[in-house]
Amino acid sequence: MFTFSRRSFLKAGSFGLTGALLLPSRVFGACKSPTFAPKLSLASVAAPSDAKMAQRFVDWLRGPGVSHERAVKNMVFNFYDTTKKKGHWIYPMLSGKAILWLTRRGNTKDATAMASSLLRWQQTSRKGMLVRSYGAFPSQIKPVTSKKKGPTTWSAGERYYAGDNLVILQALVELYEKTKDAEVLNAAIGIGSWLVEVMCKGHKLGMWKEDHGAPMQFVTDKGDFNNQIHGTVAMLWIGALDRLGRVTGEPAYCAQSQRAYQFFRGGQLGSGAFLDHYDPGFPAKKYDSGNWKPYQPNQVISDNVLRSALGACRMGDLDAARKFYRWLKVSSGAVPAYLDLKTGLSGFPPGEPVYYDVTSSALHRSLALWLGERKAAEADLAFLRKVQHKSGSWYWGLTRKTLQPRLPQLAPIVGFWATADLSVL
Amino acid sequence: MSEIRKQRKRPRFVTPSGKTATQITSEAAANANAGTPQEDDAATSTAAVTHTLPHVSGAPRHEVPYYPPSFYSYLTGPRQSWSGEQFLTRPRDVPRAPQTMEEARESGKRALFYARGFYSVVSKSLRDWSGVQIASQIEIKDGASLALVFHHELREESGQLGLVATSLRVAPNVHILSSLGFGGGADFLPITKLDTEVRGVVPHFSFMHFGIGGGASWWRARRNHTYGTISLSYWLPYDLSGENRLEVTRVASDTTAARLNVRATTTMLKGKHGKQLSQVRVSVGDQPQYVPGATLESQPDKVTVDGSFGFRHWIDKSYGYVVSVEIGWQKDTYHRLGFDFSLFLQI
């Protein structure tokens, strides 16, 4: 049998223990599983008729809501024009949202079919400046006008938005968790690595003076960046990076997610309002909180700021969300499309007709659920029920006076949020 | 076959540390959960669908990953059996987000403190055993915990032992537990103690954990122990969990030949963490005869049996108490009846 010298054993043991304690967390650390959840569930505030409301939307989505052309089959239109009876441009982000929505409803078959179409559009070339969008999804797919007859050809838009890709990332990660399809995870890794290694590396690409930690707004297919950092959509979905980190065991994704959120927090004012974006300028300057800007002077966009507040909820920052909730003034479930930064009331200039953003009602309902505000959530749902179009979808904007559509455009995004609380982790 | 796989060849994207999706899914498959729901199916599916409006055709059911409940080992039985694993038996991995509020509460706990007192009436001419112990376990960051123990005991003489133990997560579902202890040199406590154990989830059997480890301790009168342990912990329905452990110790000193001691321990728990847990523990093996002040050569190996029955009760979600009754018996040497009481605080 063997014997140990006590001295050598102690030495080895103490060195081992010390070294293990001092090793950087990323060697051992994995991402934390979140423990945050809304205080109320959607089902607890829903009416019995809401199941039919959702079904009507599903039926509409399967029909006019998605494209039936081969190249973009099952991909979701951004708008459906009720007068021209056709969809307007394909928005890959919405396909991502649809995949998320379907996956959460347990419909992984339809979600996979949709993902199958979507993944064809992932940017997979590293030639020249395309390397800066390698792994990302374009934010638009548009038909190519041609004098030739025959099926429409489609091409990817120029821009790759970080926020849109975060939505798609969340969808793909959740779909992977259900199906364990390696191709879905592969696509998700493409997005995650693009965000972490390109879009959050503005300081290494000459776009920032320092490492801000959050992604730049977009890059074009020619490699040109917009070095602004927008909260809003990115703030709501930045947790998708964290989720990808947990699924892949890659701490770099989680660390970036946390850092980005800490940056986004800087965009909230003392009143509770969230500013729209951070503008470092070009040539970029060092961080200055005064560089956080609204959409326009004293004006913010309601659905954008609501997304920021929901992003705070998803990161467990309910204090920030509560502050925002108190700032925003909602009347019977309806939210003006533009808000006054100081008051939280309508931000439309005097004399201009006010219209409501219907998605904002659904986002506000989700926020109310997080904060346990039952009456507000019920009021938001009641408004959504009231304004559902007979086809099953919703107009994106309704005038305040008559609740008539601002434009004759149905928007699937409203339906996704109206029938599900997509903000839940 | 995946619809997506049928498409033209797609590139293999990699994570910042260079892993591909294929590698990750292969690793995940190797460590896969059995997928057995922890909670009642109806309750789970109800919880899963409450964030979307239900289908007209019926509520969809969502899979619930298996999440084993906590397993707290007790500091009972022969004192020589202490190791880091007794404090840190529960790896803090949460495979996925907690599925119940209890789990969410549990996964948020970061520190555990114990204050303990014990007394054993011992037969024959041996003095009764008594003492106090203060112990704490703190999660210093995700995947890393630290435990500190101070033990003071009085038998024929007074003895103290200070112990530092760590648990570090080195891979998903795998932890290394280590401990280092220093004592005052009493007969019944080591002067120095060092051990390490690897604990992990048994592949393909997510309801079982394995533990493999070993260590060494040095005692008065130039005596030393070198030992290896192997254990299996498991979680069963009806709030049952347990552990079986086998320990083989080589006991030696400078003045006598070495010999092997073997001990097997079984522990069973029943109950819910956060409410009440009952525990039964039985340990059978052979050990050097307990003769205070004697050298190893005058301590032949004797069959030793220890058992305890106790329960842990949470007064509030953050604190409670533990009481247990112990019995011990060593052939031709002693029998004892002990009482143990602890207060604990979780934050």
Side-chain angles (χ1 to χ4, degrees), chain A residues 4 12 27 37 71 74 79 82 107 115 122 146 162 194 236 265 271 293 298 303-304 324 358 391 415 423:
Chain A
F4 290 104
V27 175
N74 294 326
F79 299 120
T82 50
N107 193 343
Q122 190 168 25
S146 168
W194 169 70
L236 171 53
R265 290 184 77 188
S271 62
K293 308 276 188 233
N298 200 43
D303 65 343
N304 277 351
F324 169 86
V358 186
S391 65
S423 67

Side-chain angles (χ1 to χ4, degrees), chain A residues 169-246:
Chain A
L169 178 60
Q170 179 83 26
L172 293 179
V173 172
E174 289 200 30
L175 181 61
Y176 167 74
E177 286 172 350
K178 287 285 187 295
T179 62
K180 301 293 183 232
D181 188 330
E183 286 299 331
V184 173
L185 181 62
N186 180 50
I189 290 171
I191 298 175
S193 294
W194 169 70
L195 286 166
V196 167
E197 293 174 336
V198 177
M199 298 307 283
C200 291
K201 292 285 186 284
H203 55 297
K204 294 197 174 168
L205 294 161
M207 294 292 118
W208 295 333
K209 194 86 172 164
E210 61 195 286
D211 181 5
H212 294 303
M216 292 182 277
Q217 192 191 18
F218 67 81
V219 65
T220 69
D221 55 3
K222 292 179 178 50
D224 299 322
F225 292 101
N226 178 343
N227 71 346
Q228 293 177 359
I229 301 170
H230 283 237
T232 69
V233 177
M235 187 168 171
L236 171 53
W237 295 109
I238 194 67
L241 254 187
D242 192 79
R243 195 155 179 162
L244 178 66
R246 280 183 270 129

Side-chain angles (χ1 to χ4, degrees), chain A residues 84-288:
Chain A
K84 293 177 185 167
K85 301 234 183 308
K86 59 186 279 186
H88 280 303
W89 63 275
I90 302 284
Y91 195 174
M93 181 279 289
L94 280 182
S95 290
K97 198 145 272 177
I99 291 167
L100 181 66
W101 183 80
L102 288 164
T103 303
R104 289 193 179 184
R105 292 175 74 83
N107 193 343
T108 51
K109 203 169 156 206
D110 283 355
T112 302
M114 205 168 260
S116 173
S117 283
L118 178 63
L119 262 56
R120 289 195 189 101
W121 293 94
Q122 190 168 25
Q123 206 289 87
T124 56
S125 171
R126 277 189 280 203
K127 287 183 187 161
M129 281 300 174
L130 284 173
V131 70
R132 290 182 170 184
S133 52
Y134 178 67
F137 285 84
S139 291
Q140 187 185 24
I141 298 172
K142 47 193 183 183
V144 175
T145 49
S146 168
K147 289 180 183 167
K148 286 186 190 167
K149 285 185 184 174
T152 311
T153 53
W154 297 80
S155 73
E158 294 169 349
R159 295 184 179 185
Y160 297 80
Y161 279 78
D164 289 348
N165 274 272
L166 281 165
V167 177
I168 297 171
L169 178 60
Q170 179 83 26
L172 293 179
V173 172
E174 289 200 30
L175 181 61
Y176 167 74
E177 286 172 350
K178 287 285 187 295
T179 62
K180 301 293 183 232
D181 188 330
E183 286 299 331
V184 173
L185 181 62
N186 180 50
I189 290 171
I191 298 175
S193 294
W194 169 70
L195 286 166
V196 167
E197 293 174 336
V198 177
M199 298 307 283
C200 291
K201 292 285 186 284
H203 55 297
K204 294 197 174 168
L205 294 161
M207 294 292 118
W208 295 333
K209 194 86 172 164
E210 61 195 286
D211 181 5
H212 294 303
M216 292 182 277
Q217 192 191 18
F218 67 81
V219 65
T220 69
D221 55 3
K222 292 179 178 50
D224 299 322
F225 292 101
N226 178 343
N227 71 346
Q228 293 177 359
I229 301 170
H230 283 237
T232 69
V233 177
M235 187 168 171
L236 171 53
W237 295 109
I238 194 67
L241 254 187
D242 192 79
R243 195 155 179 162
L244 178 66
R246 280 183 270 129
V247 159
T248 56
E250 176 58 69
Y253 292 142
C254 300
Q256 195 73 65
S257 171
Q258 291 292 327
R259 289 200 57 219
Y261 179 71
Q262 290 310 315
F263 183 87
F264 290 139
R265 290 184 77 188
Q268 186 173 31
L269 299 174
S271 62
F274 284 97
L275 291 165
D276 189 74
H277 62 275
Y278 179 82
D279 187 357
F282 196 80
K285 300 181 186 57
K286 281 188 85 68
Y287 180 82
D288 182 341

Side-chain angles (χ1 to χ4, degrees), chain A residues 1-2 4 6 9-10 17 20 28 30-31 33-35 41-43 46 50-51 55 104-105 116 119-120 122 124 134-135 176 180-187 189-190 193 197 247-248 250 253 419-421 424, chain B residues 2-5 7-8 10-17 19-21 24-25 50-56 60 62 94 96-98 104 107 140-142 166 168-170 178 180 182 191-192 194 216 218 226 250:
Chain A
M1 289 277 284
F2 50 87
F4 290 104
R6 177 167 59 145
F9 211 156
L10 277 176
L17 278 173
F28 298 109
C31 309
S33 291
T35 57
S41 67
L42 179 56
D50 287 347
Q55 191 58 48
R104 289 193 179 184
R105 292 175 74 83
S116 173
L119 262 56
R120 289 195 189 101
Q122 190 168 25
T124 56
Y134 178 67
Y176 167 74
K180 301 293 183 232
D181 188 330
E183 286 299 331
V184 173
L185 181 62
N186 180 50
I189 290 171
S193 294
E197 293 174 336
V247 159
T248 56
E250 176 58 69
Y253 292 142
T419 56
D421 183 2
V424 169
Chain B
S2 165
E3 281 296 317
I4 299 160
R5 229 170 279 149
Q7 295 174 16
R8 62 181 166 80
R10 287 170 49 78
R12 299 295 102 192
F13 296 106
V14 294
T15 68
S17 60
K19 281 194 193 170
T20 64
I24 292 164
T25 49
T50 53
H51 301 298
T52 66
L53 297 175
H55 288 301
V56 170
H62 293 253
V94 177
R96 288 176 179 80
S107 64
I140 44 182
K141 57 183 157 196
D142 189 42
T166 63
L168 293 168
R169 183 169 55 218
V170 296
S178 305
L180 178 64
F182 295 100
I191 297 170
T192 313
L194 181 69
W218 290 265
T226 316
R250 176 183 176 272

Side-chain angles (χ1 to χ4, degrees), chain B residues 28 54 99 104 121 123 159-160 181 189 207 209 240 260 266 270 287 329 333:
Chain B
Q99 296 301 308
V121 178
S123 67
Q160 291 81 35
L189 290 171
F207 62 97
H209 288 186
L240 273 175
L260 289 182
T266 292
K270 180 161 169 62
Q287 288 179 19
W329 173 81
T333 313

Side-chain angles (χ1 to χ4, degrees), chain B residues 223-240:
Chain B
R223 182 169 133 182
N224 61 77
H225 295 188
T226 316
Y227 54 90
T229 61
I230 185 164
S231 68
L232 195 68
S233 310
Y234 44 87
W235 289 262
L236 303 173
Y238 306 109
D239 299 325
L240 273 175

